[in-house]
Amino acid sequence: MMKTLGGSRSMIRKIYMLHLLLVCSMAVGVGLLIGYGLQEVATSYLSKSMGTELPMGGFKPWLVAISTGVICAVMFSIKPLFDLFDIPPLRVLRRNLGDKLAVSRVHLTMSALTVFLLMWLFSNNIKITLILFTSTLALIGVLFVVSKLIFGGGRKLGLKPGNSWSLAIASIQKRANVNAVQLISFSLAIKLLLFLVVLKNDMISDWQSQLPDDAPNAFLVNITQNDLAPINDYLEQKNIQVSEFYPTIRGRVNAVNGELVAREVSLQDNEEKDEDARSGIGRELNLTWLKDEPAQNEVIEGEWFGENAVAEASVEESMLERLDVKIGDTLTFLIGAQSFDAKITSVRKVNWATLKPNFFIILSPDVLADFPATYISSVRINPEQKRDFSQLLRTYPTITAIDIDNFVKQIQSTIKQVSLAIGFVLAIVVLCGALVLISQVQASLGERMQEIVILRTLGAKSRLIKNATLYEFLLLGGLAGLVAAFFSDIALLIVQQQMFDLAGKLHPHIWIIGPVAGGIFVAGLGYFMIARTLKQNTQGLVRALA
């Protein structure tokens, strides 16, 4: 219209760019106010729940929020806006001109890249970003195919005319492209919702369950050989649960296959860092020697020490990667001024959650037989046994007790705080999903009003139209919830294994929760949005359309 009235391309560009700037500024301003209000509510609630005063957010969240709003406004709208300037003036008479400019591959690529970069910015973790982004792309692809098959093939179902389900499917078919977009939007919102629900209720519970109720809550270190037997007898007499006693010696990995490894720089010894040296640990380790494999360890490669093992070593899997070694390599250890070699014969996976003494490197008994050692163990001290435990420490003042009970309580407190924070984010996601649904229904309200007028003119009863509308939203929500549950469970399975280091498992209950919650949520809110239109008489709808 502007081009028809003589508007130049540059003037039209300035008008729309100014319009984009105003909308972006207003959206960012309103968003900052709403965000600040939500932050104050969340801070107040979390402070009371955690029993501590939370620090101020600072300026960084404001900058991130503003930049996110500007990036979204520009990257999601700039390509369609520039395409809009190329629409010919003849479109006033021929409405089909310019229709191909609606969506382009460049626009989709820019939007996807923007979403990926924002996910990376917020998570600050490329692995979890790739997991969520890839699962989301797969979800969109599957939903697009499924929607085309269902919405395009629904005519072959053979439902009878005058049936509410027939009318609902016909309505879905008529808006196949729009409904495909709605289906993807609903599924993404439900996917994120289910992801957070399982993360809050199941995965954190699994994480918390790694610390058993009878886990040790104290370490005993620096036990001499002479004190070992009487201490063990005293603990058994007082029924204090104690794990195995392990001999320990402080030592350093000095070389790998004869190649010296890098050490930490010591200012006292005026050492200089060797940039060309092989990567090492940089500190001393607690070394031990055992004949039998510890219960909380699992040999995943190689074999445990045999009866006649000579100068052998078993290395924990993460230490194997850090030293960049493999089975068959020879490690040179340095204890004081004495050095010795040991060949790697096995790799272990250690369950660190048991809170029992574990070691990165375990040597065969013959290697350290001539070295003086002290012993370490873990104990479980119940409240009624604290007096007996204190008496033990007074009797043997050379023993050092490390209290890990407070450490465990701090971990459990942190898990509870994370759970509260996720619950608050969950509420925001529900609100955002509702806003997406409202906007989708609002956008199609004019077309729905026209359909209602036609159906009433053809003699359709109000109950038939109401049920058809309800069934339409119910189908969309149920299908979106089913697909969202599938991809959410796959993403959760990967996150469990890669991020939480837990044994991955599926969550069958969300396969029921997803479709049911999706159907109820979409049907309830969608029907509520259109209920007022359904109550209007035909004359009022015609006037509204005019």
Side-chain angles (χ1 to χ4, degrees):
M1 186 66 72
M2 290 183 180
K3 288 183 177 180
T4 305
L5 296 176
S8 64
R9 181 185 177 90
S10 60
M11 183 188 71
I12 295 174
R13 183 186 298 114
K14 290 178 182 178
I15 291 174
Y16 278 96
M17 294 303 289
L18 180 61
H19 181 265
L20 176 63
L21 177 62
L22 292 174
V23 171
C24 179
S25 301
M26 184 176 296
V28 170
V30 174
L32 289 176
L33 291 176
I34 296 175
Y36 181 76
L38 290 175
Q39 177 184 313
E40 289 298 311
V41 173
T43 302
S44 176
Y45 173 73
L46 293 176
S47 296
K48 293 179 180 178
S49 301
M50 298 177 184
T52 182
E53 192 69 24
L54 297 180
M56 297 293 294
F59 291 101
K60 184 178 179 181
W62 293 84
L63 295 176
V64 171
I66 294 173
S67 60
T68 301
V70 173
I71 290 173
C72 291
V74 173
M75 298 298 289
F76 292 151
S77 63
I78 196 68
K79 184 61 172 63
L81 201 58
F82 281 137
D83 290 342
L84 185 66
F85 303 146
D86 295 329
I87 294 180
L90 194 58
R91 179 175 168 81
V92 174
L93 299 177
R94 299 178 58 185
R95 303 298 295 175
N96 62 316
L97 293 177
D99 287 345
K100 296 182 179 179
L101 299 176
V103 179
S104 66
R105 294 181 180 179
V106 176
H107 181 213
L108 293 176
T109 303
M110 290 175 59
S111 300
L113 183 61
T114 302
V115 172
F116 178 80
L117 293 177
L118 288 175
M119 291 174 67
W120 190 8
L121 173 65
F122 294 147
S123 67
N124 199 26
N125 188 307
I126 187 63
K127 182 182 291 186
I128 195 170
T129 300
L130 286 172
I131 292 173
L132 294 178
F133 185 75
T134 304
S135 64
T136 301
L137 286 182
L139 172 65
I140 293 174
V142 170
L143 280 174
F144 184 78
V145 174
V146 170
S147 63
K148 286 296 183 181
L149 291 175
I150 293 178
F151 301 156
R155 300 179 187 274
K156 302 178 181 179
L157 293 177
L159 294 176
K160 298 180 180 179
N163 184 283
S164 298
W165 286 104
S166 301
L167 190 58
I169 293 176
S171 180
I172 290 175
Q173 292 170 348
K174 183 178 179 180
R175 288 184 291 273
N177 293 330
V178 175
N179 285 329
V181 175
Q182 289 182 346
L183 190 62
I184 292 172
S185 301
F186 299 157
S187 296
L188 292 177
I190 296 172
K191 173 179 176 286
L192 183 57
L193 188 66
L194 292 174
F195 188 91
L196 290 175
V197 167
V198 176
L199 185 67
K200 180 179 183 296
N201 296 330
D202 288 8
M203 291 181 64
I204 288 182
S205 297
D206 293 342
W207 184 22
Q208 195 168 10
S209 66
Q210 286 189 327
L211 298 176
D213 295 335
D214 60 346
N217 54 12
F219 280 108
L220 293 177
V221 300
N222 201 30
I223 303 173
T224 64
Q225 179 70 44
N226 296 332
D227 295 337
L228 184 60
I231 289 176
N232 191 26
D233 293 340
Y234 180 84
L235 293 174
E236 290 183 359
Q237 180 184 355
K238 299 299 181 181
N239 293 322
I240 296 177
Q241 181 181 338
V242 60
S243 66
E244 184 179 350
F245 289 87
Y246 297 89
T248 61
I249 292 179
R250 300 286 291 176
R252 182 188 298 272
V253 178
N254 197 44
V256 176
N257 294 327
E259 180 183 358
L260 294 176
V261 298
R263 299 178 59 184
E264 286 186 343
V265 178
S266 174
L267 297 178
Q268 295 178 350
D269 298 335
N270 295 322
E271 293 181 354
E272 294 183 1
K273 187 176 181 179
D274 187 358
E275 300 290 346
D276 299 327
R278 184 187 181 106
S279 176
I281 305 303
R283 62 180 177 85
E284 289 187 334
L285 299 173
N286 282 322
L287 304 176
T288 190
W289 61 96
L290 297 172
K291 180 180 179 181
D292 299 321
E293 178 185 350
Q296 65 272 19
N297 288 214
E298 177 187 359
V299 175
I300 59 176
E301 188 177 354
E303 295 181 357
W304 186 252
F305 310 136
E307 291 292 335
N308 301 318
V310 177
E312 294 183 4
S314 178
V315 182
E316 190 266 342
E317 56 181 345
S318 65
M319 181 60 64
L320 193 81
E321 297 177 0
R322 184 171 179 180
L323 290 173
D324 191 20
V325 292
K326 61 184 182 302
I327 290 182
D329 288 344
T330 300
L331 301 179
T332 300
F333 296 89
L334 185 65
I335 298 178
Q338 301 183 51
S339 65
F340 58 90
D341 296 337
K343 183 179 180 181
I344 301 175
T345 58
S346 64
V347 180
R348 291 171 294 112
K349 183 176 183 180
V350 177
N351 182 9
W352 300 98
T354 59
L355 294 182
K356 295 180 179 180
N358 285 300
F359 302 89
F360 287 110
I361 299 177
I362 300 177
L363 299 167
S364 57
D366 64 295
V367 179
L368 301 177
D370 298 330
F371 288 87
T374 58
Y375 288 79
I376 181 175
S377 182
S378 59
V379 293
R380 172 71 184 181
I381 309 299
N382 296 321
E384 66 274 9
Q385 297 172 327
K386 289 185 177 181
R387 180 176 298 179
D388 296 330
F389 186 67
S390 299
Q391 179 61 41
L392 174 68
L393 298 181
R394 286 193 295 267
T395 305
Y396 301 94
T398 58
I399 297 177
T400 300
I402 302 175
D403 183 13
I404 59 175
D405 199 25
N406 291 332
F407 172 72
V408 173
K409 290 179 180 178
Q410 184 178 4
I411 293 178
Q412 294 174 340
S413 175
T414 302
I415 293 174
K416 183 179 179 181
Q417 294 171 9
V418 171
S419 180
L420 285 173
I422 291 178
F424 185 76
V425 174
L426 189 62
I428 296 178
V429 170
V430 172
L431 178 61
C432 292
L435 292 176
V436 170
L437 176 58
I438 290 172
S439 64
Q440 295 278 6
V441 175
Q442 197 70 28
S444 63
L445 195 58
E447 187 177 354
R448 292 181 182 276
M449 292 171 64
Q450 188 176 10
E451 287 182 1
I452 294 172
V453 171
I454 294 174
L455 289 171
R456 286 179 178 176
T457 303
L458 295 175
K461 297 181 179 180
S462 298
R463 183 176 180 181
L464 175 68
I465 299 175
K466 290 180 180 179
N467 290 340
T469 303
L470 185 63
Y471 295 159
E472 178 186 351
F473 287 118
L474 191 64
L475 286 172
L476 287 174
L479 181 60
L482 179 62
V483 180
F486 174 77
F487 284 95
S488 179
D489 213 6
I490 296 299
L492 285 165
L493 182 66
I494 299 174
V495 169
Q496 278 180 310
Q497 296 174 339
Q498 299 297 324
M499 305 304 300
F500 284 82
D501 196 23
L502 296 171
K505 68 175 184 179
L506 296 176
H507 306 83
H509 60 281
I510 70 172
W511 293 76
I512 300 175
I513 295 176
V516 173
I520 294 176
F521 178 73
V522 174
L525 189 57
Y527 186 81
F528 175 78
M529 287 296 301
I530 206 171
R532 184 177 178 183
T533 302
L534 294 173
K535 292 179 180 179
Q536 282 186 296
N537 56 37
T538 306
Q539 185 178 3
L541 292 176
V542 172
R543 289 178 179 177
L545 289 172

